[in-house]
Amino acid sequence: MEENESSLPNASQQVKKMAYHKVNADQRTQGQYLDSDDLQATALELEWDMEKELEEPGFDHFRLDGAVQHHLGNSQSPDLDLEPIQPSASPKGRFQRLQEDPEYISHYTRQSPKSHRCSFFQILKLFCAALILFIFGIMTGYYAGKKCPSPPASPEPNNPHVYHEILKEIKAENIQQIYRDLLQSPREDDVDAAMKILLQWTSYGLEDVQLQCSKVTKTLHNQDLLYSYAAYSAKGTLEAELVDIQYGTIEDLIRIQSTTNVTKKIALLKLGQSPLLYKLSLLEDIGFGGVLLYVDPCDLPKTTDPADKAFMVSLNNGGDPSTPGYASIDGSYRQHRLNLTTLLVQPISAVLAKKLTSVPENRVQKDKCVPLQMSSSDKKIISLSIQSVTTYKTISNVIGYLKGSVFPDRYVIIGSHHSSLNTYGGQEWASSTAIITAFIQALMLKVKRGWRTDRTIVFCSWGGTSFGNIGSYEWAEDLKRVLQRNVVAYVSLHNPVRGNSTLHPIASPSLQQLAAESQSINCVEKTKCPGSNVSSVQTQGDSDYFINRLGVPAVQFSYEDISTSENSSFLSEALFPVHVTRTEELDPSFKLHENIAKFSGHATLQIANEPVLPFNALDIALQIQNSLRVFLREEVDASQLLAVAARLRDTAELFQSDEMRPANDPRERAPIRVRMLNDVLQGLEKSFLVRQAPPGLYRNILYRLDERTSQFSVLLEALEHCKLHQSNETIQAALSEVLNSISSAQVYFKAGLDVFETTLAGKK
């Protein structure tokens, strides 16, 4: 990685001068931010004794535009201070006092001359000084105007009308044209696609666009990539009995172990129901030596038929395997971790799976699909040989910044990806890239007219996604400390059009309400608007690091095909060849792409521009309680968990009540209160990261495994481990992890609430 912290927007601000002007309660700071220390210093300055000031020598007149310059120094935006913040020196606070005193301007503009006698020379001296200042001002303004563009006469307010003007510029035909341009010329490698994206973003006026490259380990199967393969599989040859374990659930494994010695056997495994890496960890744990993967045709939508197609999977949990946990930059030590499992893993087509299971043709009925399954009496010995080729390739990211005018040190990341494979993954990369590019195009039209978001938007096109989100992991690992402090939210555009029948929004609990609102932006009267069907489930893509390592709230919109099978979750882990992905067949008018762009754009603008972050603390507490209720059905003692969860909900309800009304009410809004509140809201989900989670499962306990499950993933895994190994030790450890997370969140909410209560009490 060539990127470092210095390239990100500087969080420090300086206040150059202060004049005594009337301050509206909901006035924006227009590019300058006062942190708590600065604002208290400003409040103290307003407490000056004006009579004493007027009596000092040299102050014959006190003018309204007279300003005193204060050098406050750089003001880094601090982390949340859990100690009570003291109120301003004024009994009522700066903004409230100025509002309640309608005569304060006349107090400051009233002249108090010491004498009515002025000599001729004094008048002449004043006249000459005024003339010199007048001429100097004209010259300064002239040359400044030549060098710097003048600001807009009347900056546009941040409101839904502005959002609508931006979003209406996103049109299906524009997305389609961008999409076709991206696919027009064949790409030889990852860098070619990244350079094309960089040139597009720059041409639309995005101010700061950077290309970052990193050499990482990739495991390829032969040179032409025409075969099914599993990246980072172990290499070798194994001849053994084939054992059908279906989906590899705990029930499947217990059933198989009761009748078969599975040591060094080869498992026939279906994709679906749970993450592949989690299944492989279970198979490795109980002694299997190899795995054949396939997708059962019964689990696919009727519109999809890849039964005879090869596919690839990645066994990488995230990032460059040779630099685990740290950035893959020049000079980094590279570990020899080319194979990430001891299992020999090989994907196969459904056609080959049918031959191995000896399924007769009459089992596939006209109106009913019969799942593939080997007969219990059928014994097959097969030889499995894996000879992967390990190499280093360059992974490129394209990063563009639109710096915020009020809070430039707060980042809203919106990310798509460009593929590093010509054969697998198809045209999905161009689909997501076209959407984010169309949003940039529409947004920059408004920016060129003088408008700007309050917070910084970071546009990212990631490389190496199909091999384990390598580009996003390496970039985030390199900037981890900065991102921990500054990132507000992540908006994902990972494979946005996978089907054309159902809109499937996924969001963190704190962003579910915003996701539901964003779906209704195109709704008009007499039109049926989509309901609030937002869920918090595990998803694929580059949001992984931000959700699971940084605890950043995330949201994603995508269209999918309806599948009647309950086993269809996690099938997207399989990447099929290019001709299977039918982007223009799925969405010939690109209207679905336009909808995704507008939904995602609306969510991004709301997060980047609203004075108070649109996060909901109470929804987090409700999600926790709902997950625990499901867990209690497993007859596990969770009384302590329920008690802590109840306290969390009570605190969250208070947190969203009238205690923080002054920060939410535009009539009483003050910058210091908004910043305090947003600092608390920004860290809501960080408490819910457990230290470790099994491969493929989220460390963020707020996300469910899929639509079928409601309990915490880590507790679900602990219960399954207990069934498999007949031990309660794992359950107790998992319960402790969840308990500590909920308790930590409750303390965090309470600390934030105490800050507001202390500040309010001081002002009252």
Side-chain angles (χ1 to χ4, degrees):
M1 284 288 185
E2 299 176 357
E3 173 65 15
N4 52 51
E5 295 183 9
S6 62
S7 68
L8 292 175
N10 192 347
S12 61
Q13 301 285 326
Q14 275 195 324
V15 180
K16 295 297 183 184
K17 66 178 182 177
M18 180 181 71
Y20 295 98
H21 294 291
K22 183 174 180 180
V23 182
N24 292 328
D26 59 347
Q27 182 179 7
R28 297 182 176 273
T29 57
Q30 298 184 359
Q32 291 189 345
Y33 159 68
L34 300 177
D35 65 12
S36 59
D37 294 335
D38 299 337
L39 197 59
Q40 290 179 19
T42 304
L44 289 174
E45 296 294 346
L46 288 178
E47 296 296 326
W48 287 344
D49 186 347
M50 303 306 301
E51 296 298 329
K52 180 179 179 181
E53 191 77 32
L54 294 174
E55 292 175 0
E56 291 183 1
F59 285 87
D60 290 339
H61 299 279
F62 184 85
R63 292 170 296 183
L64 179 63
D65 59 350
V68 181
Q69 189 171 3
H70 300 279
H71 296 280
L72 300 180
N74 290 340
S75 173
Q76 293 280 348
S77 74
D79 295 332
L80 176 65
D81 186 359
L82 299 184
E83 294 296 323
I85 296 177
Q86 297 301 322
S88 302
S90 166
K92 294 184 178 181
R94 174 188 177 194
F95 296 92
Q96 187 175 357
R97 186 179 80 256
L98 293 182
Q99 276 193 310
E100 293 179 355
D101 189 356
E103 300 297 327
Y104 73 93
I105 291 184
S106 63
H107 294 167
Y108 295 158
T109 57
R110 189 175 301 139
Q111 294 183 348
S112 300
K114 291 183 178 181
S115 173
H116 294 284
R117 294 173 297 178
C118 294
S119 67
F120 172 77
F121 292 104
Q122 288 176 326
I123 295 175
L124 181 61
K125 185 187 295 183
L126 289 174
F127 175 77
C128 293
L131 181 61
I132 292 172
L133 289 174
F134 176 73
I135 296 173
F136 179 75
I138 292 177
M139 295 179 65
T140 302
Y142 172 75
Y143 286 105
K146 290 184 66 177
K147 294 180 181 179
C148 303
S150 58
S154 56
E156 298 184 67
N158 298 323
N159 55 42
H161 177 68
V162 176
Y163 305 159
H164 174 73
E165 288 184 350
I166 295 172
L167 297 178
K168 75 177 181 180
E169 296 295 334
I170 300 176
K171 299 175 182 178
E173 55 268 26
N174 292 344
I175 300 176
Q176 185 178 40
Q177 186 60 50
I178 296 170
Y179 173 85
R180 290 176 175 174
D181 288 345
L182 289 169
L183 295 176
Q184 189 173 14
S185 57
R187 297 177 300 114
E188 295 182 1
D189 56 27
D190 179 89
V191 180
D192 293 337
M195 284 299 301
K196 193 163 191 175
I197 295 167
L198 182 144
L199 292 174
Q200 276 192 330
W201 291 7
T202 303
S203 68
Y204 292 136
L206 198 58
E207 302 157 347
D208 184 5
V209 187
Q210 304 170 7
L211 179 68
Q212 293 141 4
C213 303
S214 175
K215 288 186 177 180
V216 296
T217 308
K218 296 202 298 186
T219 303
L220 309 179
H221 187 284
N222 293 334
Q223 298 297 320
D224 51 8
L225 299 178
L226 295 178
Y227 303 100
S228 294
Y229 78 103
Y232 307 106
S233 166
K235 293 183 287 186
T237 301
L238 175 64
E239 184 174 339
E241 179 185 348
L242 184 66
V243 180
D244 185 2
I245 62 170
Q246 291 294 294
Y247 295 97
T249 64
I250 292 298
E251 289 74 16
D252 291 331
L253 297 183
I254 293 176
R255 171 178 53 83
I256 293 298
Q257 280 188 302
S258 64
T259 59
T260 307
N261 180 8
V262 300
T263 303
K264 295 300 180 181
K265 300 291 178 64
I266 299 174
L268 182 62
L269 174 66
K270 296 180 183 180
L271 284 175
Q273 284 202 15
S274 59
L276 173 61
L277 293 185
Y278 175 55
K279 294 180 181 181
L280 295 181
S281 68
L282 295 177
L283 298 183
E284 194 173 19
D285 189 33
I286 63 177
F288 274 99
V291 180
L292 294 183
L293 302 175
Y294 73 99
V295 177
D296 195 315
C298 296
D299 295 333
L300 295 170
K302 294 181 180 180
T303 57
T304 306
D305 184 25
D308 60 338
K309 305 300 189 298
F311 65 93
M312 73 149 288
V313 294
S314 174
L315 309 185
N316 183 9
N317 205 25
D320 182 0
S322 66
T323 58
Y326 54 94
S328 179
I329 59 178
D330 291 340
S332 295
Y333 170 70
R334 297 187 181 276
Q335 302 180 23
H336 190 71
R337 300 176 71 244
L338 306 181
N339 305 321
L340 304 182
T341 176
T342 61
L343 297 171
L344 301 177
V345 183
Q346 176 63 48
I348 61 174
S349 67
V351 171
L352 180 55
K354 288 180 181 179
K355 294 180 180 179
L356 293 175
T357 55
S358 303
V359 178
E361 291 296 329
N362 58 7
R363 286 194 61 186
V364 181
Q365 303 174 10
K366 182 178 180 181
D367 298 325
K368 184 179 179 181
C369 184
V370 179
L372 299 180
Q373 184 175 3
M374 288 181 62
S375 171
S376 57
S377 59
D378 194 5
K379 302 291 183 181
K380 284 187 172 66
I381 304 297
I382 66 170
S383 178
L384 176 60
S385 179
I386 306 293
Q387 300 298 329
S388 298
V389 178
T390 301
T391 184
Y392 283 93
K393 293 287 185 179
T394 299
I395 298 296
S396 304
N397 296 325
V398 183
I399 311 294
Y401 299 90
L402 176 61
K403 295 182 180 179
S405 61
V406 181
F407 305 116
D409 61 331
R410 292 296 179 259
Y411 313 143
V412 181
I413 298 179
I414 177 169
S416 62
H417 73 277
H418 51 270
S419 176
S420 55
L421 286 175
N422 288 328
T423 307
Y424 294 96
Q427 301 155 357
E428 290 172 339
W429 74 271
S431 179
S432 64
T433 304
I435 288 176
I436 194 173
T437 304
F439 177 51
I440 292 173
Q441 183 183 29
L443 183 61
M444 295 310 296
L445 291 175
K446 197 70 173 175
V447 171
K448 290 175 182 178
R449 295 196 291 267
W451 182 87
R452 188 172 288 268
T453 55
D454 286 357
R455 300 176 183 89
T456 295
I457 302 180
V458 185
F459 301 93
C460 303
S461 180
W462 307 114
T465 299
S466 56
F467 284 101
N469 308 319
I470 293 176
S472 56
Y473 260 72
E474 297 308 312
W475 182 79
E477 285 175 346
D478 190 26
L479 303 173
K480 181 178 179 180
R481 299 305 179 194
V482 177
L483 299 178
Q484 283 177 329
R485 183 180 68 247
N486 293 354
V487 175
V488 173
Y490 187 95
V491 180
S492 174
L493 288 169
H494 180 75
N495 295 352
V497 181
R498 310 165 195 171
N500 56 12
S501 58
T502 305
L503 178 64
H504 186 213
I506 297 173
S508 303
S510 59
L511 285 179
Q512 286 188 358
Q513 289 191 21
L514 175 62
E517 293 171 5
S518 297
Q519 294 178 69
S520 62
I521 59 173
N522 291 333
C523 291
V524 294
E525 293 184 5
K526 300 180 181 179
T527 300
K528 184 178 180 181
C529 298
S532 178
N533 59 339
V534 188
S535 59
S536 298
V537 297
Q538 291 194 193
T539 184
Q540 304 296 310
D542 293 285
S543 60
D544 183 84
Y545 189 93
F546 301 91
I547 292 173
N548 287 304
R549 304 301 174 95
L550 301 179
V552 172
V555 61
Q556 172 182 297
F557 299 92
S558 62
Y559 280 97
E560 298 182 354
D561 284 325
I562 296 177
S563 176
T564 57
S565 172
E566 64 177 9
N567 305 314
S568 59
S569 58
F570 299 100
L571 291 184
S572 59
E573 292 181 316
L575 295 179
F576 287 92
V578 59
H579 52 278
V580 177
T581 304
R582 309 179 308 276
T583 300
E584 297 203 59
E585 293 179 16
L586 290 172
D587 187 19
S589 67
F590 274 72
K591 188 64 179 178
L592 301 183
H593 287 73
E594 178 185 316
N595 290 342
I596 295 294
K598 289 183 175 180
F599 298 155
S600 303
H602 180 267
T604 302
L605 290 172
Q606 287 272 55
I607 301 170
N609 230 43
E610 291 303 305
V612 177
L613 290 171
F615 298 166
N616 195 304
L618 184 57
D619 284 352
I620 295 179
L622 293 175
Q623 179 109 331
I624 293 290
Q625 285 194 321
N626 290 337
S627 297
L628 286 176
R629 289 193 184 100
V630 175
F631 187 69
L632 286 176
R633 298 173 190 168
E634 303 291 340
E635 298 181 356
V636 175
D637 182 13
S639 56
Q640 288 182 320
L641 278 173
L642 286 176
V644 174
R647 291 197 296 271
L648 176 65
R649 177 173 178 174
D650 292 341
T651 307
E653 287 178 334
L654 286 175
F655 190 78
Q656 294 186 187
S657 69
D658 289 343
E659 295 291 346
M660 40 184 257
R661 176 178 54 82
N664 280 317
D665 191 340
R667 295 171 300 177
E668 303 182 44
R669 183 176 294 147
I672 185 173
R673 182 168 297 281
V674 172
R675 185 68 179 213
M676 287 163 53
L677 174 59
N678 287 336
D679 284 347
V680 176
L681 291 173
Q682 186 178 329
L684 289 181
E685 297 196 12
K686 289 179 170 58
S687 298
F688 298 100
L689 301 181
V690 296
R691 291 175 299 172
Q692 291 183 343
L697 299 185
Y698 273 12
R699 287 180 56 204
N700 191 325
I701 65 173
L702 294 177
Y703 287 77
R704 295 176 285 133
L705 193 62
D706 56 21
E707 302 288 356
R708 299 178 297 110
T709 57
S710 298
Q711 61 267 56
F712 300 114
S713 297
V714 291
L715 294 183
L716 177 64
E717 186 274 335
L719 287 171
E720 292 185 344
H721 189 276
C722 174
K723 295 176 183 177
L724 190 61
H725 296 281
Q726 302 297 315
S727 170
N728 290 330
E729 182 177 349
T730 305
I731 291 183
Q732 297 304 319
L735 284 171
S736 178
E737 285 270 14
V738 174
L739 177 63
N740 289 331
S741 295
I742 300 175
S743 178
S744 175
Q746 197 275 331
V747 171
Y748 180 82
F749 281 27
K750 183 64 166 58
L753 189 61
D754 289 344
V755 168
F756 287 105
E757 290 177 346
T758 303
T759 307
L760 277 176
K763 289 185 179 296
K764 291 177 182 177

